[in-house]
Amino acid sequence: MTNIYELKNRLLVPNWRDFKRTTKLGELGLHNEIRSLEIDNSKIKLDWNNSKNIGVAADLINNSFISNDLFSKELDEAIKYAELNSNDTSTSLISLIAKIKSEINPKNEDSNKILEKNIDSINEFNSLINDNLFNKIISKTKNLTKNQIHNSINWIELARLYTIKNQIEKANKCVIIALNLSPNNRFVLRSAVRFFIHTYQEEKAIYYLKKSEATKEDPWLISAHIATSKIIGRYSPFIKVGEKIVSSSKFSDFDITELSSSLATLELEHGSFKKSKPLLDLSLRNPNDNSLAQFEWLSKKDNRLRFDSDFFKQVKNPFEAFAYENFEKGNFHESFYNCINWYLDFPYSKRPLVFGSYIASILEDYNASIIMCLAGLRLNNFEISFLNNIIYALCLSNQIDQVPKYLDLINKNVLSDLNNEEKITIQATLGLYYLRKKEVENGKDLYKASIDNAKKLNNQYYYNLAVINFTRELFLLKDPEYNLYKSYFENIKSKDDDIIFLKNNVEKIINKKTLS
């Protein structure tokens, strides 16, 4: 049976996109900077529009840098004017322009446009994981980085591409270089934190966040510190700072959406719904995709919380939250396409691929499931979830001859290191494989072990999955034990739409074969 993947303990770990998309989402302070640092640049921008000269350009560039207002049309014009009139531009102003450009990289090309495509079919998804095409993107970004060696944004983008290719050592070097170049840059720090967590280097994430002066007053970084500390079971000293920031009214609702959500999650964990609820409400005033997904996840843990995607249509890239919500409602096609878009948003993450491959198998689109698993195996060719799911899909699509190469990879894993749910799943999937190979007794033994282990763990969900799949196989084999397991099958009662859907599919197979 296939493996479904959902975090048992979701935290507000920073998302990691390319620079341009992150900028468009507003997470870099375009309109939501700390109000205590606010400087009104409207008058000097008006002066610039009325009279373009080097003096006004210098004032605009200086004020924009001090107030961190780095993305205005007027600033871009002033920089270009100063560069064109370099004979009248002071050395200090040239140096300041270089620093601003290294921070925002306005000429940085979107080296990952291919991942932003809206796809209409799984075949187009398949073209997006083409190695030759992706290598060209990496090569282009490497050249850009060499030409702008002091630009930290390029180094982070190169690290992201290497991470997608699972070239972790190369990515690690790029991340460290970027951090040394821009230790206080929000984009660099949050990207680095996500990378370190992705590669199980949480201590490094804590080190660089604590080292940065920016973390002391930036809600986006404080939230990242709280999440990282929680992962390694450590108390974050920034929790108190975060609580003061949230109650200070110095920041926009969007700026504190992740921080509010992080604090709310901690309160819920400590059993204080009363303290958590207003923080959650605050996080949802203007949520991003991360805080929205956190609320969706929390709503399944506490039935006093209600998630409804209709209230969050304005949120950009809500794919994770919408994938899970549609799945819970039984809208499997919608859930599947959200998984695809979720993966395209975070192509270094295994979660959308494992989840998507499971949904595809429910829909009996085994080719789609196989393709998503192949994409996942590029991230880690020993990942048990992908190996399990691809074997399941290959068996049910009658491609048994393709299974042994993945079975060899499973055998190289230390099965004793798997968690209980993974063991149950692998046993059932291997049972399916041996039954399809006509090694009936071996296959039956594995399925029975899977069912027994699910009962021992009192895991009704995995018990139901194993029984449904085993009953189908026994029926197709016309095995004498079919009637016994059919009685278990008929007694399955579940509130899970995927269990009901799978059971109905098996009933259709039984009824169709019986009638024919």
Side-chain angles (χ1 to χ4, degrees):
M1 64 190 187
T2 43
N3 183 279
I4 181 171
Y5 187 86
E6 184 174 9
L7 291 175
K8 292 183 178 179
N9 187 22
R10 192 187 189 282
L11 297 165
L12 273 291
V13 174
N15 287 330
W16 184 13
R17 300 177 174 92
D18 64 77
F19 182 77
K20 278 198 172 181
R21 284 191 297 166
T22 306
T23 301
K24 289 176 183 176
L25 292 171
E27 294 181 3
L28 300 185
L30 280 78
H31 307 292
N32 303 300
E33 280 306 312
I34 301 168
R35 293 178 191 173
S36 62
L37 297 179
E38 192 171 305
I39 295 175
D40 185 3
N41 288 327
S42 57
K43 184 177 183 303
I44 197 163
K45 287 178 181 178
L46 183 63
D47 290 343
W48 169 255
N49 288 322
N50 290 332
S51 178
K52 293 180 171 59
N53 59 63
I54 196 65
V56 177
D59 288 343
L60 178 54
I61 292 167
N62 274 292
N63 277 27
S64 296
F65 179 75
I66 293 169
S67 61
N68 209 19
D69 180 15
L70 304 180
F71 295 90
S72 70
K73 173 178 69 71
E74 290 84 359
L75 174 61
D76 193 35
E77 290 175 353
I79 287 173
K80 290 175 181 176
Y81 182 91
E83 289 176 332
L84 286 172
N85 295 275
S86 56
N87 291 336
D88 299 324
T89 304
S90 67
T91 304
S92 60
L93 185 58
I94 292 172
S95 176
L96 181 58
I97 289 172
K99 186 169 181 60
I100 290 174
K101 292 176 77 171
S102 72
E103 289 287 317
I104 65 172
N105 191 22
K107 294 182 179 181
N108 183 34
E109 296 181 41
D110 188 353
S111 59
N112 207 14
K113 284 182 181 176
I114 190 70
L115 295 174
E116 290 184 306
K117 288 179 62 178
N118 292 318
I119 62 176
D120 299 315
S121 71
I122 198 64
N123 290 329
E124 287 186 58
F125 175 88
N126 197 22
S127 71
L128 297 184
I129 60 174
N130 180 287
D131 275 329
N132 290 332
L133 183 60
F134 202 79
N135 287 337
K136 288 180 181 178
I137 295 172
I138 289 179
S139 179
K140 182 178 179 180
T141 307
K142 281 176 68 177
N143 290 332
L144 190 64
T145 304
K146 288 177 182 177
N147 292 333
Q148 301 178 17
I149 198 166
H150 296 294
N151 190 318
S152 58
I153 306 301
N154 289 338
W155 284 107
I156 280 291
E157 177 59 8
L158 186 57
R160 195 177 70 91
L161 296 174
Y162 280 139
T163 304
I164 294 168
K165 285 279 287 182
N166 201 34
Q167 296 177 350
I168 301 304
E169 188 174 339
K170 290 182 179 180
N172 197 80
K173 290 177 181 177
C174 293
V175 168
I176 298 300
I177 291 171
L179 285 166
N180 287 333
L181 288 169
S182 301
N184 297 310
N185 182 288
R186 179 191 296 170
F187 176 73
V188 170
L189 272 168
R190 280 171 57 83
S191 300
V193 168
R194 181 57 181 260
F195 170 77
F196 289 138
I197 291 173
H198 181 75
T199 54
Y200 307 103
Q201 301 181 79
E202 292 88 356
E203 291 288 354
K204 277 190 178 180
I206 292 290
Y207 170 78
Y208 282 102
L209 282 169
K210 191 174 180 181
K211 180 182 177 183
S212 173
E213 288 295 316
T215 306
K216 296 176 182 178
E217 56 187 14
D218 189 330
W220 296 91
L221 299 178
I222 291 172
S223 177
H225 192 281
I226 292 171
T228 311
S229 299
K230 182 62 181 172
I231 290 173
I232 57 177
R234 190 178 299 172
Y235 176 83
S236 171
F238 289 100
I239 290 175
K240 295 297 182 184
V241 180
E243 290 172 344
K244 290 179 181 178
I245 283 177
V246 165
S247 61
S248 70
S249 301
K250 290 183 178 179
F251 298 86
S252 71
D253 292 336
F254 185 72
D255 273 331
I256 59 173
T257 181
E258 287 193 11
L259 178 57
S260 301
S261 185
S262 286
L263 295 171
T265 301
L266 291 177
E267 293 294 351
L268 267 182
E269 186 182 80
H270 295 147
S272 180
F273 183 83
K274 185 177 180 181
K275 290 182 179 179
S276 176
K277 188 60 167 61
L279 288 167
L280 280 175
D281 291 341
L282 182 57
S283 76
L284 295 175
R285 285 183 189 172
N286 191 4
N288 67 352
D289 61 296
N290 200 5
S291 55
L292 184 67
Q294 185 72 6
F295 180 67
E296 190 280 332
W297 180 81
L298 289 170
S299 70
K300 286 182 292 192
K301 306 297 177 184
D302 193 316
N303 57 19
R304 290 171 290 185
L305 303 173
R306 181 174 174 270
F307 179 86
D308 188 340
S309 60
D310 289 339
F311 294 113
F312 303 107
K313 299 289 187 183
Q314 83 286 358
V315 177
K316 297 176 182 177
N317 298 3
F319 311 124
E320 179 185 350
F322 285 14
Y324 281 112
E325 189 209 23
N326 279 292
F327 181 82
E328 293 291 325
K329 290 181 175 179
N331 300 329
F332 298 123
H333 283 95
E334 283 297 313
S335 181
F336 175 71
Y337 287 116
N338 271 290
C339 282
I340 292 177
N341 285 322
W342 179 12
Y343 166 68
L344 296 178
D345 206 18
F346 305 116
Y348 49 83
S349 176
K350 77 174 186 178
R351 292 177 60 218
L353 292 171
V354 177
F355 192 23
S357 68
Y358 172 73
I359 298 167
S361 71
I362 292 175
L363 297 170
E364 299 181 349
D365 190 344
Y366 301 118
N367 183 52
S369 183
I370 290 166
I371 289 171
M372 297 193 88
C373 289
L374 289 173
L377 288 170
R378 284 183 7 156
L379 299 173
N380 182 352
N381 61 357
F382 289 108
E383 171 56 51
I384 200 71
S385 300
F386 297 126
L387 293 171
N388 176 82
N389 288 8
I390 199 169
I391 291 173
Y392 181 86
L394 287 169
C395 288
L396 291 183
S397 59
N398 298 314
Q399 300 181 63
I400 297 292
D401 58 317
Q402 298 296 312
V403 170
K405 58 185 175 183
Y406 301 109
L407 200 58
D408 288 343
L409 292 172
I410 286 182
N411 291 335
K412 289 177 182 178
N413 279 278
V414 180
L415 295 180
S416 60
D417 289 342
L418 302 180
N419 64 44
N420 291 322
E421 287 81 6
E422 288 171 335
K423 289 176 184 176
I424 293 169
T425 305
I426 283 291
Q427 285 173 324
T429 298
L430 294 180
L432 170 64
Y433 171 63
Y434 286 112
L435 288 178
R436 292 278 169 139
K437 273 189 71 182
K438 307 303 181 187
E439 295 182 22
V440 177
E441 292 308 313
N442 195 6
K444 286 165 65 174
D445 287 345
L446 283 161
Y447 256 123
K448 290 174 184 178
S450 173
I451 291 168
D452 287 343
N453 286 331
K455 285 197 288 188
K456 286 176 184 175
L457 291 169
N458 199 26
N459 191 319
Q460 191 65 40
Y461 184 83
Y462 278 87
Y463 169 83
N464 290 341
L465 281 176
V467 168
I468 289 169
N469 280 278
F470 191 29
T471 303
R472 180 196 62 235
E473 295 307 305
L474 291 173
F475 172 78
L476 294 174
L477 288 167
K478 298 180 181 178
D479 189 275
E481 290 192 82
Y482 163 66
N483 287 327
L484 172 62
Y485 281 89
K486 184 186 178 186
S487 65
Y488 300 152
F489 172 84
E490 289 174 341
N491 286 327
I492 289 176
K493 309 293 182 187
S494 178
K495 295 180 180 179
D496 297 302
D497 284 327
D498 55 323
I499 296 293
I500 297 168
F501 191 86
L502 286 168
K503 186 182 178 187
N504 289 341
N505 283 348
V506 172
E507 285 175 341
K508 288 176 185 176
I509 292 171
I510 293 171
N511 293 334
K512 184 178 179 181
K513 291 272 186 180
T514 303
L515 290 172
S516 63

